[in-house]
Amino acid sequence: MLINVAETVVADALRGMAAAHPELTVDVENRVIVRADAPVAGKVALVSGGGSGHEPLHGGFVGPGMLSAACPGEVFTSPVPDQMVRAAAAVDSGAGVLFIVKNYTGDVLNFDMAAELAEDEGVQVAKVLVDDDVAVTDSLYTAGRRGTGATLFVEKLAGAAADAGMPLERVEAVARRVNAGARSFGVALTACTTPAKGSPTFDLPAGELELGVGIHGEPGRERRPMMTSREIADFAVNAVLEDLNPRDPVLLLVNGMGGTPLLELYGFNAEVQRLLVERGVPVARTLVGNYVTSLDMAGASVTLCQVDEELLRLWDAPVRTPALRWGV
Amino acid sequence: MLINVAETVVADALRGMAAAHPELTVDVENRVIVRADAPVAGKVALVSGGGSGHEPLHGGFVGPGMLSAACPGEVFTSPVPDQMVRAAAAVDSGAGVLFIVKNYTGDVLNFDMAAELAEDEGVQVAKVLVDDDVAVTDSLYTAGRRGTGATLFVEKLAGAAADAGMPLERVEAVARRVNAGARSFGVALTACTTPAKGSPTFDLPAGELELGVGIHGEPGRERRPMMTSREIADFAVNAVLEDLNPRDPVLLLVNGMGGTPLLELYGFNAEVQRLLVERGVPVARTLVGNYVTSLDMAGASVTLCQVDEELLRLWDAPVRTPALRWGV
Amino acid sequence: MLDADFFRRWLTNAADAVDRSAALLTELDSPIGDADHGSNLQRGFTAVVVTLEKEAPETPGAVLTLAGRQLISTVGGASGPLYGTLLRRTGKALGDAAEVDEATFTEALRTGIDAVAALGGAAPGDKTMLDALMPGVDALGTSFGAARDAAREGALATTPLLARKGRASYLGERSIGHQDPGATSAALLFDALAETAENPPAPGADHG
Amino acid sequence: MLDADFFRRWLTNAADAVDRSAALLTELDSPIGDADHGSNLQRGFTAVVVTLEKEAPETPGAVLTLAGRQLISTVGGASGPLYGTLLRRTGKALGDAAEVDEATFTEALRTGIDAVAALGGAAPGDKTMLDALMPGVDALGTSFGAARDAAREGALATTPLLARKGRASYLGERSIGHQDPGATSAALLFDALAETAENPPAPGADHG
Ligand SMILES: Nc1ncnc2c1ncn2[C@@H]1O[C@H](COP(=O)(O)OP(=O)(O)O)[C@@H](O)[C@H]1O
Ligand SMILES: Nc1ncnc2c1ncn2[C@@H]1O[C@H](COP(=O)(O)OP(=O)(O)O)[C@@H](O)[C@H]1O
Ligand SMILES: [Mg+2]
Ligand SMILES: [Mg+2]
Ligand SMILES: [Mg+2]
Ligand SMILES: [Mg+2]
């Protein structure tokens, strides 16, 4: 690992972000990344966060048209409520704050506590839970579906809604609509190595892969002998379409877990798109890259997000963040 | 590896690029990626290329403000002259074509042949060689310094010069000036795995690293026990500054080799910038990310590129490519 | 009777135990979690010890409430709010008495554990920290030693369970056969409690 | 006398040899290169065989020129233009004679090898394909078998050399102790040449 010591990994990264991105205000000590022009008068603010190790999520999505602030926790560990309260206070213009929370016990509990505290301080807070991962059965017997790739769509589309001047309830409604129409499935070809552990989080021999993994270096639902890109695409797309029957066109995210070369990701995208054509699912926009990662894990995930005309317009709306940029 | 078979990796990736980027015209069979609006009347065109496995270099840099076309070879193998000739014909508006060539025997020989052939076909061709890697002594006893991270700067700044309407000689002069003022140094924490070989290109035990690597999975100049991010930054920055004594401010690229998480890269950037402050080198702009990669290799490189006012203006000029985007 | 110093020593002993077992906890969190439980608790309990030293709260309730708040502010993850709530609610239940007897503490701890169950929505048998906390507090009526043994057994007994809460639940059947890291750290807390009770400070020692 | 068919068979044998040794060539290209020499040549020679079959050039010169052009168009890397130039220039030097004698071929091959040296700027001893090509062509005056042996020895003798050209030169001293992949493939070409000469086609066989 290219680190100093495990204990300073997050602080070191924040110092590096501060140096690279003058358009962000990075509070290294309190671990809050805020767009430098916050609060933006009259606009709803978006705060997200979660464990570190998923970069560019979330810090790389802070900026006009997307997040107002991000709270990075320790590697794979939800941030603490203090961070979210501080972020909310920094970005609230009076129009309220939307917390975007991936559905993990830790994230949910910490954001819940933060919401209470922030409201005590007079900030109007709404929350949206992202739970798009079809590998987990959403039942009483699990912590519920995990939040993975759809987080990018929720953050972008709700960010555009806020940018368009929508009030908090409407921004929240957009976020919920996006999450409701988005599903993901991920595979791992290797485990990842966390700084604290210093060795792979689980044992995955070359020549095998894990189907249905999340983004925290956990093993998936099932181990299989290595499959081809085409077979993996087949499995992932089928898993997603079993759960989502899109009537509208979709946004497609072919996401790398961090250690998979872009060359392979693009090849994987070719297979995914071929299948979607076969299945009659029109792809309105495609994003290929390492956006919601698990440190150095090799693997990929497929997220489909169905979009009506309004959501598509919000997707195309300008965004200017370190990792996602288009429009003016 | 997330692939079908080694033989189709490049073609598969090109199909995936075509599906993801409607703003590019991708000729999968002939392996040429061209911006869809080429040729652009009155403007000099830029053609680059090299082995695949370095993505987003070069295909991800095709678009307004940067490359007109890219020619991807097999993994780590220079493309063939036929590709470059075809690319040149597709993008030449009559104002001439600049070939941007990384200094490797294969790239140089193939681009040289292509230049002759393209000129036979009536295209005015200029060439610029990128050779920024200080790990290689530039002497009669080597193939000369390698082209690595500076390629991004040459492609961006010459692209902006062409976009500004400069004639071929001036675009070429800009490219040469950029290369002359740019130096890089890279380290590897792991080897990479090419599809054709299917196993790491060299043996690097955990707990050791290679100093002075290129971008083709070759070992470096020297193997050492693992160093901290700070020590590696120290070594890299010193190696670069031994060869480059910048009077002007610099553009800084803290580049990931592909397998190093963004979290670690930002931490590494913090160390690099701390050192540059200590050494009195003003950093005008910073770019942190996986831009010039070696498949899944873990590691990073540091590139400094000194810029006068004109070059800084060209850096800030708009660019709209899959991997680099800013301005309008 | 248990005074503020007793609880301070408990938490200090717990911090030491977490330090010693951090690698083990993270190791247990690898096959069925995300390999951070040890470093999470280490960060939290280190901060607790520092805060208790600095703020020197003077009642058992204040010690536990402060420690709980500190865990919430430094741990993150699932275990931060859960352990934080455990201590905070236990502390609140103790009120501002200068000393409490064992029965009062047992009842307060049960309140804290109930708060954990309410917050996390887990029940005994779901393969979580509750599987050590519940038997631990149940045996506390008998003795500190009995509580230690019961919590330890509870932690060990999580191995054959199918996880229904927390990250391990994502694994479904594959969560079976692994000991729950949170139950293991919960057992450490009872360990430290027994250790604290069994090793009273030398009379006349400076209680800070 | 050597006719077009002889050269076609040479290149077909060479393609077979490259196929058989592709993994070895890539393996040799790993410690001091970029692990692609085997797949590079395999791609190229496969294409050469296909083209020769399709276009059926009728003179030795035309066979070699076409094969060289095909290598340039399909191999890429350093070896593509170098081996392509080798065959193309050798072919050009043979002119359009329908048959050539061994001495003429030897001289033409020397021209081709000189073109490789001029193009790549390498000298003997630089640890490149030239270290097998040069001794090979020098011994060709004696016999095809002698050329094979000399080229093979030349390839083996690259092991202790310090590389001064190509990727291996980036390694400096660390290039010492590894056999050069390009010299190894060059020896394969002489191998295939000897094999071709030693196994004339059965009289009356269809020469396509
Ligand atoms: N809903 C819950 N109720 C009670 N305990 C839980 C719950 N979810 C998780 N836990 C406990 O938390 C432990 C994991 O803590 P930790 O690894 O620090 O957090 P995270 O899972 O966020 O990485 C689990 O082993 C389990 O004992
Ligand atoms: N300048 C040169 N002159 C002659 N031969 C060279 C030169 N550079 C490289 N070679 C030969 O090419 C071989 C490598 O070929 P290959 O691996 O196919 O290309 P690349 O180095 O571009 O990956 C080397 O082993 C060496 O024999
Ligand atoms: Mg965690
Ligand atoms: Mg090569
Ligand atoms: Mg954990
Ligand atoms: Mg090679």
Side-chain angles (χ1 to χ4, degrees), chain A residues 74-78 216, chain C residues 29 34-37 40 77-78 167:
Chain A
E74 281 297 320
V75 171
F76 292 168
T77 302
S78 156
H216 294 90
Chain C
D29 199 27
D34 58 350
D36 63 358
H37 190 55
N40 285 348
R167 292 182 192 288

Side-chain angles (χ1 to χ4, degrees), chain D residues 132 135-136 146-158 179 183 186-188 190-191:
Chain D
R148 167 177 49 203
D149 296 346
R152 218 180 253 176
E153 257 167 59
L156 291 174
T158 59
Q179 185 173 325
L188 289 182
F190 281 100
D191 238 20

Side-chain angles (χ1 to χ4, degrees), chain C residues 101-193:
Chain C
D101 61 21
E102 291 181 22
T104 308
F105 171 52
T106 302
E107 275 329 290
L109 186 59
R110 199 179 297 280
T111 309
I113 292 171
D114 288 346
V116 169
L119 182 65
D126 283 355
K127 196 175 185 120
T128 70
M129 55 174 69
L130 285 177
D131 292 323
L133 292 174
M134 294 277 199
V137 75
D138 285 346
L140 202 53
T142 310
S143 74
F144 286 115
R148 166 178 49 201
D149 296 345
R152 219 181 254 175
E153 258 167 56
L156 291 173
T158 59
T159 303
L161 297 177
L162 175 88
R164 297 200 190 154
K165 289 287 164 187
R167 292 182 192 288
S169 73
Y170 304 140
L171 286 170
E173 301 282 332
R174 291 176 81 185
S175 65
I176 291 173
H178 300 276
Q179 186 172 324
D180 180 60
T184 310
S185 58
L188 288 182
L189 293 191
F190 281 99
D191 237 20
L193 189 60

Side-chain angles (χ1 to χ4, degrees), chain A:
Chain A
M1 278 170 292
L2 185 52
I3 63 169
N4 288 315
V5 289
E7 288 68 28
T8 64
V9 162
V10 176
D12 288 349
L14 289 177
R15 287 193 295 126
M17 279 203 86
H21 300 294
E23 72 276 21
L24 302 177
T25 303
V26 180
D27 181 339
V28 177
E29 199 193 325
N30 295 300
R31 305 202 168 180
V32 180
I33 301 165
V34 179
R35 49 186 277 199
D37 60 352
V40 183
K43 301 274 171 83
V44 168
L46 269 60
V47 172
S48 190
S52 292
H54 308 303
E55 290 67 26
L57 184 85
H58 301 269
F61 297 147
V62 174
M66 213 159 164
L67 297 179
S68 311
C71 308
E74 281 297 320
V75 171
F76 292 168
T77 302
S78 156
V80 298
D82 312 51
Q83 291 170 265
M84 301 139 191
V85 172
R86 193 178 288 266
V91 298
D92 182 31
S93 69
V97 176
L98 178 68
F99 282 178
I100 299 175
V101 186
K102 301 192 296 305
N103 187 33
Y104 299 98
T105 308
D107 294 70
V108 171
L109 296 180
N110 285 284
F111 268 102
D112 278 355
M113 291 191 167
E116 260 184 57
L117 294 168
E119 279 174 344
D120 286 355
E121 291 183 10
V123 180
Q124 197 193 345
V125 176
K127 282 178 297 185
V128 61
L129 213 61
V130 185
D131 63 342
D132 55 312
D133 178 9
V134 300
V136 173
T137 323
D138 187 14
S139 77
L140 277 178
Y141 305 110
T142 65
R145 288 197 308 248
R146 296 174 286 213
T148 60
T151 316
L152 182 150
F153 292 123
V154 173
E155 292 179 0
K156 168 67 179 83
L157 297 171
D163 212 36
M166 292 186 197
L168 184 56
E169 317 81 63
R170 282 194 58 205
V171 174
E172 181 191 346
V174 163
R176 283 186 200 285
R177 192 142 53 92
V178 173
N179 180 61
R183 293 292 187 280
S184 299
F185 188 86
V187 302
L189 277 59
T190 66
C192 61
T193 298
T194 61
K197 185 158 191 284
S199 59
T201 49
F202 61 92
D203 226 46
L204 182 54
E208 300 188 28
L209 85 175
E210 288 276 340
L211 294 167
V213 297
I215 55 172
H216 294 90
E218 329 90 311
R221 297 285 300 194
E222 200 187 334
R223 182 168 295 192
R224 290 264 187 105
M226 187 56 70
M227 295 157 67
T228 63
S229 168
R230 179 163 294 198
E231 289 163 348
I232 294 171
D234 224 69
F235 201 98
V237 168
N238 284 335
V240 166
L241 290 182
E242 247 167 53
D243 217 81
L244 182 79
N245 190 358
R247 282 150 210 283
D248 294 312
V250 297
L251 308 176
L252 166 64
L253 170 62
V254 173
N255 176 61
M257 293 294 188
T260 285
L262 207 47
L263 183 73
E264 296 179 18
L265 269 190
Y266 272 116
F268 184 56
N269 177 49
E271 303 302 341
V272 170
Q273 302 243 3
R274 188 185 50 78
L275 277 159
L276 291 173
V277 169
E278 278 178 31
R279 301 286 294 264
V281 179
V283 176
R285 303 287 184 273
T286 304
L287 197 62
V288 178
N290 290 285
Y291 290 105
V292 182
T293 63
S294 299
L295 293 171
D296 61 341
M297 176 180 272
S301 63
V302 174
T303 303
L304 298 186
C305 173
Q306 75 181 353
V307 284
D308 52 27
E309 270 173 38
E310 184 193 21
L311 294 183
L312 188 57
R313 239 188 344 266
L314 292 172
W315 177 253
D316 287 339
V319 57
R320 208 167 69 240
T321 71
L324 221 57
R325 256 184 259 190
W326 56 74
V328 186

